[in-house]
Amino acid sequence: MELNLLRVLSLVLLNFPADLFGYVVIPSTNPLAVGQNVTLNLVPPSNINVGTWSHETSVIVIFYPNGESVTNTYKNRVTFNRTSLELSIRYLQLNDSGQYILQGTNPDLNAAIPLSVQEPISNVTLRANAIDLVELNNTAVLTCSTSSGTSLSYRWLNGSSVVTASGVVQLGEGNSTLTLNRVTRYDEGPFRCKVFNGISNETSQPIHLNIRYGPSNPTLVVNPNMGPGNTAYRTASNITLSCSAQSNPPASYMWKFNGAFLKEQSPQLTLQNIRVNQTGNYTCLAYNNVTLRYAIINTIINIVEPITVVVLNSFGKLPILDESFTLRCEVTVPVDHIHWLMNGKLLPLNNRTGYSMDNNSIVITSIQFSDSGKYQCEAFNAVSNMTSMAYTLVVNYGPLVVNISLQGPTNNGTGFKYTMTCSANSQPASEYQWKFNNQSLLKPGTLLVVDKSVKNIGNYTCVATNSVTKIKMSKTISLDFTEPSPAPPIQCSFGLMLMLLIALSLRFD
Ligand SMILES: *[C@@H]1O[C@H](CO)[C@@H](O)[C@H](O)[C@H]1NC(C)=O
Ligand SMILES: *[C@@H]1O[C@H](CO)[C@@H](O)[C@H](O)[C@H]1NC(C)=O
Ligand SMILES: *[C@@H]1O[C@H](CO)[C@@H](O)[C@H](O)[C@H]1NC(C)=O
Ligand SMILES: *[C@@H]1O[C@H](CO)[C@@H](O)[C@H](O)[C@H]1NC(C)=O
Ligand SMILES: *[C@@H]1O[C@H](CO)[C@@H](O)[C@H](O)[C@H]1NC(C)=O
Ligand SMILES: *[C@@H]1O[C@H](CO)[C@@H](O)[C@H](O)[C@H]1NC(C)=O
Ligand SMILES: *[C@@H]1O[C@H](CO)[C@@H](O)[C@H](O)[C@H]1NC(C)=O
Ligand SMILES: *[C@@H]1O[C@H](CO)[C@@H](O)[C@H](O)[C@H]1NC(C)=O
Ligand SMILES: *[C@@H]1O[C@H](CO)[C@@H](O)[C@H](O)[C@H]1NC(C)=O
Ligand SMILES: *[C@@H]1O[C@H](CO)[C@@H](O)[C@H](O)[C@H]1NC(C)=O
Ligand SMILES: *[C@@H]1O[C@H](CO)[C@@H](O)[C@H](O)[C@H]1NC(C)=O
Ligand SMILES: *[C@@H]1O[C@H](CO)[C@@H](O)[C@H](O)[C@H]1NC(C)=O
C-alpha cells in the first residue's frame, strides 16, 4: 500500500516542470572523491508537505507530513532531516555521479544538482616513442597515462609554455597523446603532461627529446678581421679561419683550398707566415655523422705583398722645354693604383699630361715652365701605401739669346784692356767658347779680356752651348778702336743693296 502510494506520488512529481520558483540544491562539496560524504540542502529553505529526493530516476527518500521513507538500497548510507530536508549520503562511489533532484508539492518545486564522484589521479607517466630523433625526418609521439583517475583532462607543457594543437602538433586520445610531426630542433622540450580532474591533479616527469639536426647556418670568420669587404692580408702574417655550424651532434669539419682537400680537420684552419700563392678560395665543410648532412661555406683570401720601395725617376731624356718627358714610378710589388703629387698636391692632369697604368708612368707631351716643381708618386695596394722621394723637375731650355757686353778700355796698371762678357739665358747654364775671327781661342768661360792692341782688332764670337738641350747659339761683335775716319759718302753699292734686301726678306719671314 505504502509502495503504491510512493509510485503514484513519484510519477506525479517527476512530471513537474523543472526549477520551479528559483529553488536550488547546494551540495557540501562537488566534485567529490570516491569514499567521501556529501550533504545536499535546498536553498532557500522551505517547508514542503510531500516530496522526494532522487538520484537520476531512482528515488532515495520520499517524505510526507510528519514522516519519510528511505528506499532500501540507500537505507544504511543516507540520513534525511525531515525538518530541514537535508540529505546526507555517505561513502560515495563512481556510480553515485549524476543528477540529484528534490521535488515537492505545497509549495511546488523541483530543484536539481549534478554531482561528480571521481577517482583521484595517481602515477602520471609520460612516455615517448623515441628520444633520439632526426630533425624533419622523424615524428615524436608522447603518451601520457595514469594508474588511476577518472574524468581526466590533460594539459601539455613545453618548458613552461602550454602546447596547443597546430599544423604539426596534434593532440589525440582525449588529449592524452601529443604528436610532433617532423620534429625540429626547437622541439627538444622538456615536455611534461599535467593531468587534472575535479579533485586532483598531477604532473609527469619531464622528457627531453634529443633532436639531431644540422649542420645549418654555417659561418666562417677570418681573424684578424680586416673590416667588411676586405679580404686582403699581408704576406708573412698569420691568419685563422674559424668555421662553425649549428649541429647536433656537433659537426666535424674539413677544409678545401681551391677545391682540394687540406689535411686540417678541426673547426679552425690556421695559416702561418702566409705567401702570395695561398691566395684563393677556402671552403669549410661541416658534417653531421648522424643526419648525414653537410653544410658548406666559402671565403676568398687575398694575400698581398706590402709595398716597401717606391722610386720616382725620369724615364728617357731629361725634361726639355716643348719636348715630351716621362716620369716613372717604380714599385717592386703589384700595386692597385698610383697617385701623382706635384708640390704635395694631387697632380692635375691636363691635355698635355697622360697617365699610363701599364708602366706606372706619366708622360707630359710638351713640357712648359709651369711644369716645374717637386713630383712624388704614391703607390697603393690592398695592404699598404708608400710615397716616393721627391723628383724635382727643372725645365731645361735654351740658350734662347746670346749677349756680349763690351767694357773698356780700362787700365789696371798693366795696360789698357777690353773686357767682353758673354751671357745666354738657358737651363742648365751654357758652356761658353770664344772665337776670334772664326778661329777658336780654346778659351772657355763667360769672360774674355783682350789688350787694346791693333792685332786684337776683329770679330769676336761667343758660342753658348747647352749640354742638355744640345742647342748651340752664338753672337759676334766687332772690336775696332782705331780713330774713325771721316764718314765715307754713302754709295749705293751693289753690296749695300744686297744687304738691305736680305734684311727686308728676314723681316717678312
Ligand atoms: C563519512 O561519514 C561517516 C559517518 O558520519 C564518518 O565516519 C566518515 O569519516 C565520513 N567520511 C568522510 C570522508 O568524511
Ligand atoms: C534537522 O534540522 C533542523 C533545522 O536545521 C535542526 O534544528 C535539527 O537539529 C536537525 N535534526 C537533526 C537530527 O540533525
Ligand atoms: C605507474 O605507471 C606505470 C605505467 O603505467 C606502471 O608501470 C607503474 O607500475 C605504476 N606505478 C605505480 C606505483 O602505480
Ligand atoms: C583537448 O584540449 C583542448 C584544449 O587544448 C580542448 O579544447 C579540448 O576540449 C580537449 N579535448 C578533450 C577530449 O579533452
Ligand atoms: C593541483 O593540485 C594541488 C594539490 O595537489 C593544488 O594545490 C593545485 O591548486 C592544483 N592545481 C590545479 C590547477 O588544479
Ligand atoms: C706567426 O706565427 C709564428 C709562429 O707562431 C710566429 O713566430 C710569428 O711571429 C707570427 N707572425 C706574426 C706576423 O704574428
Ligand atoms: C669556391 O669553391 C667552391 C667549391 O669548393 C665553389 O662552389 C665556389 O663557387 C667557389 N667560390 C668562388 C668565388 O670561386
Ligand atoms: C707556395 O709556394 C711555395 C714555394 O714558394 C711552395 O712551397 C708552396 O707549396 C706553395 N703553396 C701553394 C699552396 O701552392
Ligand atoms: C659522430 O661524431 C661524434 C663527434 O662529432 C662522435 O662522438 C661519434 O662517435 C660519431 N658517431 C658516429 C656514428 O660516427
Ligand atoms: C631523412 O629523410 C630523407 C628523405 O626521406 C632520407 O633520404 C634520409 O636518409 C633520412 N635521414 C636519416 C638520417 O634518416
Ligand atoms: C689644351 O688645353 C688648353 C686649355 O686648357 C687649350 O688652350 C689647348 O688648346 C689644348 N691643347 C690641345 C692640343 O688640345
Ligand atoms: C697609408 O698607410 C698608412 C700606414 O702605413 C695608413 O695609416 C694610411 O691610412 C694609408 N693611407 C691611405 C690613404 O690608405
Side-chain angles (χ1 to χ4, degrees), residues 41 79-86:
N41 272 293
T79 308
F80 177 68
N81 183 327
R82 179 61 188 90
T83 315
S84 61
L85 304 182
E86 181 183 272

Side-chain angles (χ1 to χ4, degrees), residues 257-258 262 275-279 282:
F257 171 59
N258 287 341
L262 299 175
R275 295 160 178 267
V276 171
N277 68 355
Q278 287 172 294
T279 293
Y282 288 83

